């Protein structure tokens, strides 16, 4: 049944690229390994070659040297240049000064060091917080993210790193590696600031051991957290709470409730310094539950004290130039809690935190750090050497050299000479290749005609996976995957076996995943395996361009299978099958964030948008054939389902039903048997709609929300007398309305929230180009009459304006890709009154082939009434429906 | 002595004798039903509707049999804080509207929700509760509106802190101003409309007051609305911060003193819903009296009211403490039980639970209590639920003190002008069921606190509660 061809690439030894060091005997290398080696060595940075050869041998590039002097300490630069290959673990950078006598060589290194140090330098260590706990966190993260799969001798590197740079610089690189490695030599792991700082602290831990050089100001706020005891009732205000002995302290980037506070009876004190160049009038604001205060230089500025629900207070203060101590205190008595602090400067509101405030923090310098003032003469000589040696062929970022071109044509190279000579000449680069490597590369050059052939799809895949080191974590065709030594460092949450800790094999992945899903994963938008600690990084776009298509081509073979046509009637059967009365998928698979009853495997809402339908069928029929050792059970042995009562136990129909249900994605109706947290505030419609009244952000204090089991939902605003918004996925978390004194402005919990146009849904337009009215609700004559609920608890809203009466029923309807909402109107239009419905407003509307209207922002409307017209008003297009007098029934379907 | 006793009582969680005479049964809800009760509507034996602060209405059957049956009648209302059965509809007040609801197809789920009146505005503030409805004898609905405390996310609005009368046609009439946190509203069997208010700024002590068109109850929050055309209250002028209540009643236009003040902590801190005992004796000897819940104290307070020259005034008595959570609503059922609905969310209460539903019944044994305190021209007539030993009804058996409160912006008022009063004579009735006390120094507009510490019944037992707090607004002339 499986119609895809699994890659038939020969297994070969994985090349742990960054693990090898020069001189080490390497195993025999085949042609593909030789191509990989030529790619790492960046041969084509210097040699021009035909287009196909360039494509085959493309590389991850070298670091940009812009501002290298600000990022690396002079001694770090010097050691890197002087130490030869031995000092450059993990790098393929060649030696270019190898032919110089020792004295000249030392001079050359010194000149280059001065030149590089002058680029953005001098290096100056900045304040940071490599606390012991942060180092520990970094060590844990280093292990959890399986960094060692690519960086196996981290300890060695750590020592070298510690004399090169400081924590803020390294953290910046980890957070945004493409800034310094534009070609993507290091992928982007989407590290948070805290994560990047922890990793940097760990990698530079030798600096912490050596102790700080001095103190300086660093962005941030110092915090103290207090858990107070209840003595004589709840404290009425901040003054009643002793802030003498904090329970915990630390430094953070923001003034907000930090993780790990208890739910009642706690307090916080934050402190930071605000530096002003000139006198300035500054507005501060606090929103808190319960009380809070903001003090500047021991003067109370914002007083939001006392017991209360979330409440905001702002105040303006005139501050002189200089440093000002800003202090925020907050306490929580009982019930809900919140804290926001902001600052308004020059009319711009921003959160009050590390962007504005500084604290005193220690400065750790690179080991053995000595300042160096670049000598202008050496800088000049260094620049000449840099240019003359062709360093700029690989390294960008140095303005005058940006145009440096490759010199020698690849096609005329002598495989025995130059860089590949037994002893490379002065004009060549010395890569320190070992005998095997040299042999393989010579063969590659000698048979270069082969390199003019375009790569087949599977060769292309192998090249890409090798170059980007995908194979450090993933296997494909028996090759790659974590080495025996590093397998144990891959870990995961819970008990999901090896599937829950080791990144998935890529065998047949082009047949398994839709190309857009592969592209999303490569762009760092995968994230369907939260139980894996290892993290799929984002690669530079130029490295992955074309890979998804190559995978698709490499793994695909034509066949008769087409995805089953969407059949709304199968959705309920699919839902039942997924539930604990069917195949009990919910035993292992969470759905829409609701926990499975046993282990927590992949969330089922993500399945259909990723998987190829035919692959899904093959997987369901025999999972073990698709993934060796999988824990996925076999439900359909011998073509018979273990759930015999549903759809007659027919395997094919059941799989089709599951697919129909899964294809609704984030709006699939929830199956039975998920773990719903009792007493939590999440509102999850399962068997029938849930109604929830609340104060609604962007609406009014009188909004009724209706959540449907079909996982599309709506808000109706009784004050503005109109359908206000629709959305998909989760319905609501009611904590803001049900917890404590509550009264928060609510917003939907789900996704794809679509606000309907402001103003009334219906209006009387005196002329065809009269502006749509903005006033709605009672002041504009609109009155709600209430609503009705049908036997399935679906709503009909009833409202009127004068003698114009509307009944608007809204209900979901299953459709391919996700349920749509159907608005069913019954309107009574009095004679001599012209009423119009504004069905939609968008930048532009167009009519699709199926008759639906489509907006440029992805809203689709089907209007079952002939009198639809389009007009442009204030820069947008309005989709209008003119209503005849008398009673009219019509429908508008919304899909988005 | 009085002060000492007050402190003693305030620290007591339950008083011996209360639970013996009025035991409580509890209705335990299934996990799905969070019964933060906002309204109660008894339907028949063991059956009732309860609306909750989460916006649900639950139908409960066999509530008191240990295995209650719960079914959700509807959800999605906004903080409904009252239920009323009228003209085939269930009426409730949501934050922004008076709504009537019914189940047209009898499938056990409400299906028709009509907006009867939504003319009062809300600003999106948590404290803007709306209480009611109470139905008066002319078919009008009464709704009381809290003032906001905090965010007012959608901007300040008119009419907060007002009592609204909504006519049978749905017209909203703003009839009284100056309310603070009017958590209970109800109509007496004789037709007078009462409400309870919670002490705080401009409300020196928690109280029970008559709602009468045109009156100002002292809180200035919403008084600017008195200048609007729809107002039926004359603008009372800028408030004077710091004036004795009796003085304010004389100088501020239409300033209304309460019928009953509930002294802070000793009687409670936050009076809420109330109900008249019309059980004809099924609930014990207090027929015709008023039972008032207190949220903080998780208690029920008893109130005796009398009308003197057209002025309502009365006496409050401790009645029953030790309920499981803060009492929000009370309602008598047809079988003579008092159903108590509770929630402590947002405002911590005594009691062991966050919310609950209980039912108080009378054990059948008459508790030895002060039944009533009636104002006399020169003192008070004290009546008992059953005969006292006439020999103990001496003037030494009774102690009186009195005080009033100040009208001011600070939170709550201490007692002002406190005086111990001299009981100069006691004239017991021969049957021991009452005694006429002559008391010196009665003052109108003052609380008169009684401690009947010397009274004993024939068996030598003291009263279950020896204290009573009479608000004397009008001293009778005969």
């Amino acid at each position: 049944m499986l119609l895809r061809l699994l890659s038939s690439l020969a297994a070969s030894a994985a090349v742990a690229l960054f693990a090898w060091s020069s001189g080490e005997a390497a195993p025999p290398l085949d042609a593909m390994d030789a191509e990989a080696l030529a790619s790492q060595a960046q041969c084509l940075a210097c040699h021009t070659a035909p287009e196909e050869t360039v494509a085959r041998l493309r590389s991850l590039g070298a670091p940009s040297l812009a501002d290298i002097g600000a990022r690396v300490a002079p001694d770090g630069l010097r050691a890197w240049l002087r130490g030869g290959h031995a000092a450059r673990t993990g790098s393929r950078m060649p030696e270019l000064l190898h032919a110089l006598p020792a004295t000249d060589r030392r001079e050359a290194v010194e000149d280059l060091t001065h030149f590089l140090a002058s680029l953005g330098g001098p290096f100056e260590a900045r304040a940071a917080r490599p606390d012991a706990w942060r180092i520990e966190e970094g060590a844990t993260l280093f292990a959890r993210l399986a960094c060692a799969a690519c960086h196996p001798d981290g300890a060695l590197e750590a020592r070298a790193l510690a004399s090169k740079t400081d924590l803020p610089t390294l953290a910046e690189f980890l957070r945004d590696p493409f800034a310094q490695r534009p070609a993507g030599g290091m992928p982007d792991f989407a590290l948070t600031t805290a994560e990047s700082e922890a990793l940097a602290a760990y990698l530079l831990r030798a600096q912490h051991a050596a102790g700080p050089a001095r103190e300086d100001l660093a962005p941030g706020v110092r915090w103290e957290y207090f858990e107070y005891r209840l003595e004589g009732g709840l404290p009425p205000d901040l003054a009643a709470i002793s802030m003498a002995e904090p329970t915990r302290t630390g430094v953070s980037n923001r003034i907000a409730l930090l993780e790990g506070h208890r739910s009642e009876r706690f307090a916080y004190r934050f402190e930071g310094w605000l530096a002003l160049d000139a006198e300035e009038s500054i507005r501060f604001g606090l929103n808190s539950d319960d009380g809070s205060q903001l003090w500047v230089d021991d003067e109370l500025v914002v007083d939001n004290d006392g017991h209360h629900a979330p409440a905001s207070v702002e105040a303006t203060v005139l501050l002189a130039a200089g440093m000002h101590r800003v202090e925020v205190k907050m306490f929580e008595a009982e019930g809900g809690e919140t804290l926001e602090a902001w600052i308004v400067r020059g009319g711009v509101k921003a959160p009050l935190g590390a962007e504005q405030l500084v604290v005193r923090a220690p400065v750790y310098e690179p080991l053995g750090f000595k300042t160096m003032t670049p000598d202008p003469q050496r800088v000049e000589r260094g620049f000449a050497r840099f240019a003359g040696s062709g360093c700029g062929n690989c390294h960008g970022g140095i303005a005058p050299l940006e145009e440096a071109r490759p010199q020698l044509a690849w096609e005329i190279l002598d495989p025995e000479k130059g860089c590949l000579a037994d002893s490379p000449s002065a004009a060549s680069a010395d890569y320190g290749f070992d005998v095997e490597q040299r042999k393989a590369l010579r063969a590659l050059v000698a048979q270069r005609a082969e390199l003019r052939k375009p790569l087949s799809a599977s060769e292309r895949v192998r090249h890409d996976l090798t170059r980007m080191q995908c194979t450090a974590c993933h296997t494909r065709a028996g090759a790659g995957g974590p080495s025996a030594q590093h397998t144990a460092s891959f870990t995961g949450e819970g008990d999901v076996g090896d599937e829950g800790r080791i990144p998935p094999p890529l065998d047949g992945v082009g047949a398994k995943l839709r190309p857009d899903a592969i592209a999303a994963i490569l762009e760092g938008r995968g994230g369907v395996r939260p139980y894996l600690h290892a993290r799929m990084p984002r690669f530079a776009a130029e490295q992955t361009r074309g890979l998804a298509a190559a995978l698709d081509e490499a793994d695909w073979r034509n066949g008769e299978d087409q995805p089953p046509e969407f059949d709304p009637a199968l959705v309920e059967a699919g839902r039942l099958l997924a539930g604990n009365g069917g195949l009990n998928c919910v035993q292992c698979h969470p759905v829409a964030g609701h926990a499975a009853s046993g282990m927590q495997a992949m969330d089922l809402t993500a399945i259909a948008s990723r998987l190829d339908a035919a692959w899904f069928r093959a997987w369901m029929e025999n999972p073990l054939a698709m993934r060796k050792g999988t824990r996925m059970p076999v439900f359909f042995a011998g073509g018979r389902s273990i759930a015999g009562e549903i759809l007659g136990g027919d395997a094919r129909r059941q799989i089709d039903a599951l697919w129909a249900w899964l294809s609704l994605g984030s709006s699939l109706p929830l199956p039975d048997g998920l773990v719903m947290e009792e007493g939590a505030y999440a509102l999850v419609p399962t068997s029938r709609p849930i109604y929830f009244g609340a104060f609604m952000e962007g609406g009014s204090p009188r909004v009724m929300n209706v959540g449907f089991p079909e996982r599309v939902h709506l808000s109706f605003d009784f004050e503005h007398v109109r359908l206000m918004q629709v959305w998909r996925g989760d319905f609501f978390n009611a904590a803001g309305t049900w917890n404590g004194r509550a009264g928060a402005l609510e917003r939907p919990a789900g996704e794809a929230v679509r606000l309907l146009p402001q103003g009334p849904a219906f209006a009387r337009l005196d002329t065809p180009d009269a502006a749509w009215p903005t006033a709605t609700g009672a002041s504009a004559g609109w009155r709600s009459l209430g609503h009705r609920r049908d036997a399935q608890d679906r709503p009909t809203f009833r409202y009127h304006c004068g003698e114009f009466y509307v009944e608007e029923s809204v209900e979901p309807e299953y459709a391919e890709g996700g349920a749509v909402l159907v608005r069913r109107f019954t309107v009574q239009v009095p004679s001599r009154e012209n009423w119009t419905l504004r069905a939609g407003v968008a930048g532009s509307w167009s009519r699709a082939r199926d008759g639906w209207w489509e907006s440029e922002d992805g809203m689709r409307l089907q209007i079952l009434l002939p009198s639809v017209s389009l007009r442009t008003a204030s820069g947008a297009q309005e989709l209008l429906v003119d209503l005849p007098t008398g009673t009219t029934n019509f429908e508008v379907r919304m899909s988005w | 002595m009085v002060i000492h006793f007050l402190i003693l009582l305030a620290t007591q969680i339950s008083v011996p004798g209360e639970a013996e005479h009025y035991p409580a049964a509890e209705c335990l809800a299934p996990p799905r039903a969070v019964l933060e009760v906002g309204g109660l509507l008894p339907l028949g034996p063991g059956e009732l509707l309860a609306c909750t602060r989460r916006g649900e209405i639950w139908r409960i059957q066999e509530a008191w049999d240990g295995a209650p049956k719960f079914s959700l009648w509807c959800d999605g209302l906004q903080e409904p804080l009252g239920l009323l059965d009228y003209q085939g509809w269930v009426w409730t007040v949501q934050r922004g509207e008076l709504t009537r609801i019914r189940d047209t197809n009898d499938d056990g789920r409400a299906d028709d929700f009509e907006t009867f009146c939504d003319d009062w505005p809300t600003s999106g503030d948590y404290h803007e509760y709306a209480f009611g409805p109470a139905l008066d004898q002319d078919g009008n609905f009464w709704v009381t509106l809290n003032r906001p405390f905090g965010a007012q996310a959608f901007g300040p609005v008119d009419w907060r802190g007002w009592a609204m009368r909504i006519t049978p046609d749905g017209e909203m009439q703003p009839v009284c101003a100056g309310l603070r946190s009017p958590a209970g509203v109800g109509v007496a069997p004789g037709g007078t409309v009462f409400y309870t208010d919670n002490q705080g700024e401009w409300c020196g002590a928690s109280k029970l007051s008559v709602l009468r068109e045109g009156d100002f109850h002292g809180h200035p929050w919403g008084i600017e609305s008195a200048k609007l055309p729809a107002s039926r209250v004359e603008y009372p002028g800028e408030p004077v911060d710091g004036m004795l209540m009796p003085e304010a009643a004389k100088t501020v236009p239409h300033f209304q003193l309460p019928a009953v003040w509930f002294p802070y902590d000793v009687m409670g801190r936050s009076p809420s819903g109330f109900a008249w005992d019309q059980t004809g004796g099924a609930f014990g000897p207090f027929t015709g009296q008023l039972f008032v819940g207190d949220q903080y104290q998780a208690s029920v307070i008893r109130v005796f009211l009398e009308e003197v020259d057209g002025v309502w005034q009365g006496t409050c008595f401790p009645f029953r403490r030790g309920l499981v959570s803060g009492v929000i609503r009370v309602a008598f059922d047809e079988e003579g039980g008092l159903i108590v609905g509770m929630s402590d969310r947002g405002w911590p209460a005594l009691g062991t639970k966050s919310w609950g539903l209980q039912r108080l019944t009378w054990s059948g044994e008459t508790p030895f209590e002060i039944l009533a305190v009636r104002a006399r021209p020169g003192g008070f007539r004290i009546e008992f639920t059953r005969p006292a030993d006439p020999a103990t009804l001496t003037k030494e058996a009774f102690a009186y003190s009195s005080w009033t409160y100040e009208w001011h912006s600070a939170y709550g008022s201490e007692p002002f002008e406190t005086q111990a009063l001299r009981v100069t004579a006691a004239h017991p009735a021969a049957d021991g069921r009452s005694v006429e006390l002559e008391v010196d120094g009665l003052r109108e507009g003052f609380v008169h606190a009684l401690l009947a510490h010397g009274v004993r019944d024939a068996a030598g037992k003291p009263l279950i509660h020896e204290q009573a707090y009479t608000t004397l607004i009008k001293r009778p002339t005969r």
Side-chain angles (χ1 to χ4, degrees), chain A residues 5-10 12 30-33 35-36 39 52-53 55-58 444 449-468 471 476-477 543 545-547 549-555:
Chain A
L5 176 69
L6 298 183
S7 168
S8 60
L9 286 176
S12 71
D30 68 5
M32 290 292 259
D33 295 329
E35 286 189 43
S39 152
E52 291 304 339
T53 309
R56 292 182 83 118
L57 301 187
R58 65 183 170 147
L444 189 73
E450 292 294 310
L451 297 181
R452 292 204 293 272
K453 292 182 187 157
L455 289 168
S456 72
S458 17
E459 286 168 336
R460 162 73 201 271
V461 167
R462 190 181 157 193
H463 265 70
D464 284 359
L465 300 193
T466 306
R467 184 180 67 257
M468 291 185 279
T471 45
R476 184 171 162 95
Q543 294 294 336
R545 193 169 297 122
L547 175 57
L551 279 166
D552 194 46
E553 192 190 331
D555 294 348

Side-chain angles (χ1 to χ4, degrees), chain B residues 78-407:
Chain B
Q78 274 188 285
E79 206 111 9
L81 292 171
L83 287 176
L84 172 71
D85 181 12
Y86 182 53
Q87 293 177 335
W89 297 79
V90 172
W91 300 68
T92 189
V93 172
Q94 303 187 58
R95 282 188 180 274
E97 64 173 73
L98 170 60
T99 312
R100 57 183 191 181
I101 309 171
R102 59 183 173 175
D103 172 11
T104 58
N105 63 358
D106 273 329
D107 68 349
R109 299 276 281 201
D111 49 32
D112 192 7
F113 301 72
E114 283 196 358
T115 304
F116 192 76
C117 174
D118 62 354
D119 287 345
W120 69 85
T122 53
S123 73
D125 184 88
Y126 78 95
H127 203 262
E128 284 180 342
Y129 299 107
F131 303 94
L135 182 70
D136 74 15
Q137 291 177 327
D138 300 322
N140 298 305
F141 302 92
W142 290 73
V143 176
T144 52
L145 305 177
N146 260 24
R147 60 151 295 187
F149 268 104
Q152 296 178 270
F154 296 92
V157 295
D158 297 325
W159 303 122
R160 301 310 309 189
W162 283 66
M164 299 299 183
R165 183 171 64 203
I166 295 158
T167 69
D169 300 332
E171 184 204 345
M172 183 182 85
Q173 300 173 337
V175 284
C176 304
L179 287 60
R180 180 180 177 275
S181 195
V185 57
V187 179
T192 306
V193 186
F194 287 88
Y195 92 102
T196 51
D197 212 336
N198 283 221
Q199 93 150 14
E201 71 296 334
W202 299 107
C203 183
S206 296
K207 64 191 181 181
L208 174 77
S209 296
V210 174
L211 285 176
R212 201 177 52 186
E213 179 173 331
D215 282 343
F216 170 57
H217 289 268
H219 200 295
W221 177 270
I223 55 172
E224 287 303 308
S225 297
K227 297 172 178 171
L228 297 173
S231 169
R232 298 191 174 217
V233 179
E234 185 189 339
Y235 178 65
E238 286 290 308
V240 180
D241 195 350
M243 180 190 275
L244 290 182
M245 293 283 185
E247 181 67 12
K250 288 188 188 112
T251 57
V252 178
H254 306 291
F255 189 100
Q256 173 79 355
L257 290 177
V260 175
W261 269 307
F262 301 107
Y264 190 66
D265 223 27
V266 296
M267 290 307 300
R269 291 186 184 180
S270 38
S272 52
F274 49 87
W276 275 269
D277 179 355
Q278 295 175 278
T279 64
F283 194 63
F286 306 114
T287 298
Q289 295 195 2
L290 184 64
F291 289 83
V292 183
D294 189 88
Q295 195 272 341
Y296 161 76
Q297 206 176 52
S299 68
V300 176
I301 298 164
R302 179 167 61 87
V303 171
F304 165 78
L305 288 168
E306 61 176 353
E307 195 176 12
V308 176
D309 299 338
V311 174
W312 282 99
Q313 60 188 26
T315 304
C316 58
F317 311 88
F319 174 68
R320 177 65 161 85
R321 288 183 159 216
L323 297 161
V324 298
S325 190
V327 180
I328 304 288
R329 290 291 174 258
V330 292
F332 281 101
D333 60 27
E334 282 180 18
E335 294 68 49
L338 183 68
I339 304 174
V340 183
M342 294 161 280
S343 162
D344 74 351
R345 171 147 69 80
W347 288 267
L350 305 181
T352 55
K353 296 188 175 176
S354 302
W355 46 265
L357 186 65
Q358 286 181 288
R359 180 173 183 257
L360 297 175
T361 48
W362 178 41
S363 68
E365 190 176 320
T366 301
F368 187 40
E369 294 270 35
I370 300 172
L371 177 65
V373 178
R374 293 177 196 274
R376 312 299 282 173
F380 298 97
R381 173 187 163 88
I382 315 295
E383 298 170 5
F384 302 101
T385 52
R386 56 183 169 80
D389 175 358
T392 67
L393 301 179
T394 63
K395 65 179 183 178
E396 289 76 19
F398 301 91
Y400 257 109
S401 65
S402 73
W403 64 82
T404 189
Y405 298 104
E406 197 177 68
W407 185 46

Side-chain angles (χ1 to χ4, degrees), chain A residues 799-876:
Chain A
Y799 50 97
H800 74 114
C801 183
E803 295 302 306
F804 173 64
Y805 281 83
V806 182
E807 292 200 353
E808 179 178 357
S809 307
V810 191
E811 65 172 70
E813 192 176 272
Y814 288 131
E816 189 160 15
V820 302
L821 274 177
V822 187
R823 301 172 78 181
R824 247 175 224 126
F825 293 97
T826 299
V827 293
Q828 286 173 45
V829 182
S831 54
R832 289 187 303 281
E833 287 188 10
N834 294 317
W835 283 90
T836 301
L837 165 72
R838 189 168 59 162
V841 178
S844 67
W845 289 97
S846 59
R847 197 85 189 262
R849 217 174 302 155
D850 58 7
W852 287 61
W853 291 91
E854 287 180 348
S855 74
E856 97 290 354
D857 62 350
M859 175 58 80
R860 302 184 81 240
L861 298 177
Q862 186 191 37
I863 303 167
L864 298 180
L865 208 66
S867 51
V868 181
S869 64
L870 203 56
R871 71 168 191 177
T872 301
S874 30

Side-chain angles (χ1 to χ4, degrees), chain A residues 234 307-312 334 678-681 688-705 718-719 737-745 783-791 793 798, chain B residues 31-32 34 36 53-56 73-79 94-97 102 105 107 109-129 149-151 153-154 345-348:
Chain A
L234 289 170
H307 270 203
H308 52 73
S312 297
E334 289 189 348
E678 286 286 0
Y681 294 104
R688 55 198 307 164
I690 290 178
Y691 286 70
F692 172 58
F695 302 154
M696 185 61 57
E697 190 173 279
S700 81
R702 293 180 55 212
V703 170
M704 172 170 284
N705 304 285
F718 284 129
E719 193 158 303
T737 301
W738 287 0
N739 186 19
R741 295 188 183 186
L745 278 188
R783 303 306 302 236
S784 167
L785 294 166
H787 73 285
R788 294 189 177 136
R789 303 181 188 179
D790 71 9
D793 259 349
R798 303 165 55 237
Chain B
R32 166 68 182 83
V34 177
E36 298 169 338
R53 295 175 66 194
R54 292 191 169 191
E56 296 172 336
W73 197 60
C74 77
D75 58 0
L77 304 175
Q78 274 188 285
E79 206 111 9
Q94 303 187 58
R95 282 188 180 274
E97 64 173 73
R102 59 183 173 175
N105 63 358
D107 68 349
R109 299 276 281 201
D111 49 32
D112 192 7
F113 301 72
E114 283 196 358
T115 304
F116 192 76
C117 174
D118 62 354
D119 287 345
W120 69 85
T122 53
S123 73
D125 184 88
Y126 78 95
H127 203 262
E128 284 180 342
Y129 299 107
F149 268 104
F154 296 92
R345 171 147 69 80
W347 288 267

